[in-house]
Amino acid sequence: MKWLFRLWQDLNRTLARPVVRRLLSALILLWLCDCLVYFLTETHWHHAVGYGSAWQARVKAQLLLFSATFGITLLFGLFLKPLLQLPANPPRLPASY
């Protein structure tokens, strides 16, 4: 388990360098631009061939499913957070119980 902690520390130390942070930011920006170009291309193509309403329905359904899943996960996280604060060694019941 110590190796995992050391790996995490090394990763944090590496990401703290300005060059690495800029490179990572540039890669993320390129990835987001690629996703945007794909989405716009698909939207224009579907509208050009007459399937614009089907494409809109698909995008709306995906957004709805993502939002619902995110909301349910967030609610579970909020409800289960008190479980993380339980003591590691819970008090035991007396033998007479």
Side-chain angles (χ1 to χ4, degrees):
M1 200 65 179
K2 286 183 180 180
W3 65 272
L4 187 61
F5 182 69
R6 253 186 255 130
L7 181 67
W8 181 253
Q9 284 180 331
D10 289 344
L11 182 65
N12 282 336
R13 204 174 307 126
T14 303
L15 290 177
R17 296 180 181 164
V19 173
V20 174
R21 195 177 295 164
R22 287 182 188 143
L23 181 63
L24 193 60
S25 298
L27 289 174
I28 290 172
L29 185 64
L30 282 172
W31 178 71
L32 288 174
C33 287
D34 179 53
C35 292
L36 181 65
V37 167
Y38 169 77
F39 178 75
L40 290 175
T41 304
E42 287 292 314
T43 302
H44 285 270
W45 184 83
H46 280 89
H47 281 288
V49 295
Y51 292 125
S53 60
W55 175 252
Q56 287 176 349
R58 176 185 170 188
V59 171
K60 286 179 186 177
Q62 286 179 335
L63 285 174
L64 180 68
L65 284 171
F66 175 78
S67 301
T69 304
F70 181 77
I72 291 170
T73 305
L74 187 64
L75 285 176
F76 274 135
L78 290 176
F79 286 130
L80 296 178
K81 187 176 181 181
L83 293 179
L84 294 175
Q85 298 167 353
L86 290 176
N89 297 322
R92 295 182 176 259
L93 292 173
S96 63
Y97 187 72

